[in-house]
Amino acid sequence: MARRRGFQVGVAAALVAGLFTLGFAVSAADVTMSGSTTVLPIAQAVAEAYAGIYEIEVSGGGSGVGITNLIDGTTMICDSSRALKAEEYVAAVAKGVYPMMWYVANDALSPIVHPSNPVSNLTIDQLRQIYTGEVTNWSQVGGANIPILVVSRDSSSGTYGSWSDLILKGAAVTTEAVYTSSNADVANEVASNPNAIGYVGLGYLNASVRAVAVNGILATVQTALDRTFPIARPLLMVTNGFPTGKVFDVLMWILSDDGQRLVLEMGFAPIRALP
Amino acid sequence: MRRPARALRDDGTAGPPLDLRPIRKAGLRGLITILKERWDRPVFLALASVSLIALGLILFFIFREAAPILRETGLSGFFGTHWNPTGSPASYGALPMIAGSALVTVAALVLAIPLGFAAAAFIAEVAPRWMKDVAKSILELLAGVPSVIYGFFGLMIVAPAFQRAFGLSTGRTALTASVILGIMALPTIASLAEDALTAVPNSYREASMALGASRWQTIRRVTFPAAFSGLIGAAILGMGRAVGETMAVLMVAGNAPQITASLLRPVRTLTSAIALEMGETAMGSTHYHALFALGVVLLIIALVTNGLAEWFRGRLARKHGR
């Protein structure tokens, strides 16, 4: 009886081990990219451009997830809409990973309002007052007498991080703010709500919302590229050390004129003026 | 002394001793024979243990990743009233999310329990056979709708309607989330409550009717009290469904981390805080550990509600001798 039970447990353990091994089988893609949802459209376009040449596997998850994956060795290129944080560097170096950041595109964060809203220009100070809750009615900044609804990205996203650095400068967002999980969802709420103000990346500006100029300058590809628009940020890709082989090829292509034209097509600004 | 191995009869009792000597003598061929005839137990044991191992691993890693928060903020820091993990100075108070989850869940249950119990009473006690089948399959259909679809419905239909109806600055409020959650918890509550009512022996109803009670009196005074612990179990499992729902709440609740008793303001729940922030959080940071600690709070709520529900439902089964 005892021996039989031992046999059964043995076979069971072998099966369990087999199932888990199967689950952890690694992917066979040439290049893997993961991370920021802001950079995701660029990554996907690059993967499509490389179809039939290299197999590029792309996933989102957020900048934090991408960096975690890079440190774990489960991705080769991490897409990030922010620079690495100190603790991420520490965690990476502790595992023998040396993050190297590549500046691949420019993005601008444009304030947006409902198309019916007459406010067409706000200063950085006014934006800060709106987001911290000091200004709560559109009439205080030259609009109609209706309350302001502040729409923000979740406080850990790279997009919020840039907004916080450039506009809030460390102050907390008003507790009345509504938080959404994506750029598209911010645009969606603002498009359907005359009270709302939000902020989105260049690629998410469309006819359903109205972009508001900041200090008199509208967010466009040109103003993001020449850095005259005050709320601009770089988009990054991060590799483990200096890349070699296929990862190097892909990064160099993204930085080439052809790659930068693709960046432009996806609604972002390139890193330099293109010929 | 070793007991001889016995074959099992169909009814589960032990049969006559097996003669294993030929198999032992046959070596490898014998092993193959054993595998051929006795493959089922190890295979099922393996499959069953996969879920057990998965649960164990989940618990282990959630607790391991949450534990550093005790060192970094202390219990009083974690149960503070301000959640601003990216501010300077950062604060990691979880009370806004706990309050948000509680508000949304209670409001959802206020909606779903009366409706669910009424639907259960109708299906179990009133409806004719064919209508019972139709109603039950509709409930099952409702339970099968993916939560993102509920969220989408809430975002596109319910939120704008509430914004207009109450003159709010946004329709993404605790109320919108409660209504959507109430609809989502309804099938769980209704079908479990229906099970509880069906478990009440028919003799109770017959006795009540024989005494001249009407159907309503029978339902109210006999069937419901007799099924009481099962109904409570149904309500608690419905609550578990509401507390744990993530996607739909994330889409419609507005996610403002504030402590409020007003249903007309945006709130952030435990689940949506994790879903919203985990993707962008630096691994190993205090924020990361705080999110895992929110997960532990959720896990404890889930384990307690499930345990309570099982206990109540078990009590019902014991009461009616089943």
Side-chain angles (χ1 to χ4, degrees):
Chain A
M1 202 64 184
R3 190 183 305 170
R4 269 265 284 291
R5 184 152 300 152
F7 162 75
Q8 283 172 357
V9 170
V11 174
L15 276 168
V16 171
L19 282 174
F20 275 93
T21 321
L22 209 70
F24 283 122
V26 283
S27 87
D30 295 320
V31 176
T32 52
M33 299 170 118
S34 76
S36 168
T37 49
T38 306
V39 190
L40 189 61
I42 299 178
Q44 279 167 338
V46 169
E48 276 164 35
Y50 264 97
I53 306 167
Y54 291 161
E55 194 191 325
I56 303 182
E57 194 182 276
V58 174
S59 57
S63 305
V65 168
I67 292 163
T68 305
N69 289 346
L70 187 76
I71 296 172
D72 290 342
T74 50
T75 194
M76 300 174 198
I77 299 176
C78 152
D79 303 328
S80 183
S81 60
R82 59 168 169 81
L84 264 68
K85 292 177 182 165
E87 63 258 39
E88 287 167 339
Y89 262 112
V90 172
V93 172
K95 288 209 174 181
V97 173
Y98 296 90
M100 184 165 182
M101 291 191 273
W102 298 77
Y103 174 23
V104 297
N106 274 310
D107 193 17
L109 286 179
S110 175
I112 51 170
V113 293
H114 192 264
S116 70
N117 195 322
V119 175
S120 60
N121 180 46
L122 290 167
T123 64
I124 288 201
D125 263 354
Q126 283 173 323
L127 282 171
R128 186 180 49 75
Q129 286 166 342
I130 288 172
Y131 268 82
T132 54
E134 285 168 53
V135 166
T136 56
N137 195 300
W138 280 110
S139 61
Q140 289 168 275
V141 288
N145 182 22
I146 50 172
I148 298 178
L149 173 75
V150 170
V151 182
S152 176
R153 284 292 312 280
D154 54 285
S155 59
S156 49
S157 68
T159 308
Y160 174 92
S162 308
W163 187 258
S164 173
D165 289 347
L166 297 164
I167 301 294
L168 295 167
K169 303 191 169 85
V173 172
T174 167
T175 52
E176 302 289 326
V178 163
Y179 292 82
T180 71
S181 55
S182 68
N183 272 296
D185 201 22
V186 172
N188 178 28
E189 174 69 11
V190 172
S192 65
N193 194 333
N195 301 327
I197 182 169
Y199 54 88
V200 293
L202 267 186
Y204 291 88
L205 289 177
N206 60 41
S208 69
V209 295
R210 211 157 54 73
V212 176
V214 180
N215 294 347
I217 299 163
L218 266 175
T220 61
V221 167
Q222 190 52 46
T223 56
L225 172 60
D226 60 25
R227 292 294 187 111
T228 47
F229 185 74
I231 323 172
R233 59 169 173 169
L235 298 182
L236 308 167
M237 291 190 178
V238 190
T239 55
N240 176 10
F242 197 87
T244 53
K246 291 171 178 171
V247 174
F248 179 76
D249 293 351
V250 170
L251 268 172
M252 287 307 117
W253 185 79
I254 295 172
L255 296 176
S256 72
D257 285 352
D258 286 342
Q260 289 298 306
R261 252 175 234 121
L262 189 69
V263 164
L264 186 63
E265 257 174 57
M266 298 317 296
F268 298 93
I271 53 175
R272 59 177 180 272
L274 292 172
Chain B
M1 201 190 98
R2 278 181 54 190
R3 282 183 300 149
R6 287 164 186 273
L8 282 182
R9 291 205 188 93
D10 285 347
D11 59 2
T13 57
L18 282 178
D19 188 3
L20 292 175
R21 273 168 302 174
I23 299 176
R24 291 225 178 87
K25 266 187 221 149
L28 184 64
R29 286 226 327 264
L31 186 70
I32 292 168
T33 317
I34 295 178
L35 269 177
K36 267 186 187 158
E37 292 179 358
R38 299 258 154 184
W39 60 272
D40 50 345
R41 275 222 231 165
V43 167
F44 287 121
L45 182 66
L47 294 177
S49 54
V50 165
S51 60
L52 210 65
I53 291 171
L55 179 68
L57 285 176
I58 288 171
L59 286 175
F60 172 73
F61 281 105
I62 297 270
F63 276 93
R64 196 189 66 169
E65 295 296 333
I69 197 72
L70 290 177
R71 182 161 38 80
E72 284 159 15
T73 68
L75 258 191
S76 58
F78 181 64
F79 287 103
T81 55
H82 283 281
W83 177 262
N84 184 18
T86 50
S88 49
S91 49
Y92 302 94
L95 282 183
M97 271 76 72
I98 295 173
S101 276
L103 178 69
V104 166
T105 305
V106 167
L109 288 181
V110 165
L111 185 77
I113 288 178
L115 280 177
F117 284 5
F122 174 76
I123 294 171
E125 307 288 322
V126 182
R129 176 95 215 153
W130 65 270
M131 208 185 273
K132 198 180 271 196
D133 293 341
V134 172
K136 282 194 88 158
S137 47
I138 290 177
L139 273 183
E140 275 155 26
L141 210 64
L142 206 57
V145 176
S147 60
V148 67
I149 302 292
Y150 281 107
F152 202 56
F153 172 74
L155 197 57
M156 293 300 162
I157 314 286
V158 183
F162 282 174
Q163 185 181 358
R164 272 193 303 275
F166 296 105
L168 303 172
S169 61
T170 177
R172 300 187 189 211
T173 60
L175 181 66
T176 316
S178 304
V179 168
I180 296 297
L181 277 182
I183 298 171
M184 293 177 78
L186 191 58
T188 309
I189 295 179
S191 64
L192 289 171
E194 195 255 344
D195 287 347
L197 293 177
T198 312
V200 174
N202 243 337
S203 54
Y204 287 33
R205 293 183 193 89
E206 283 158 6
S208 169
M209 296 287 202
L211 288 171
S214 67
R215 185 142 68 181
W216 168 238
Q217 285 170 328
T218 304
I219 291 173
R220 214 186 91 184
R221 295 282 169 83
V222 177
T223 327
F224 262 61
F228 183 71
S229 33
L231 293 176
I232 297 286
I236 294 176
L237 280 181
M239 180 182 139
R241 176 92 174 88
V243 171
E245 174 51 38
T246 308
M247 197 59 216
V249 178
L250 178 64
M251 291 168 80
V252 301
N255 304 316
Q258 58 176 338
I259 302 178
T260 172
S262 166
L263 282 171
L264 298 178
R265 295 169 76 169
V267 295
R268 188 178 296 190
T269 64
L270 290 164
T271 47
S272 46
I274 298 173
L276 201 60
E277 298 172 32
M278 191 50 102
E280 306 273 0
T281 308
M283 190 178 66
S285 62
T286 307
H287 187 190
Y288 178 87
H289 296 308
L291 290 178
F292 270 95
L294 293 185
V296 168
V297 173
L298 257 180
L299 209 65
I300 290 171
I301 295 174
L303 293 178
V304 168
T305 50
N306 268 314
L308 273 180
E310 282 309 310
W311 185 75
F312 274 111
R313 282 155 57 78
R315 209 169 75 155
L316 178 75
R318 283 195 299 280
K319 197 157 130 194
H320 300 304
R322 300 201 313 172

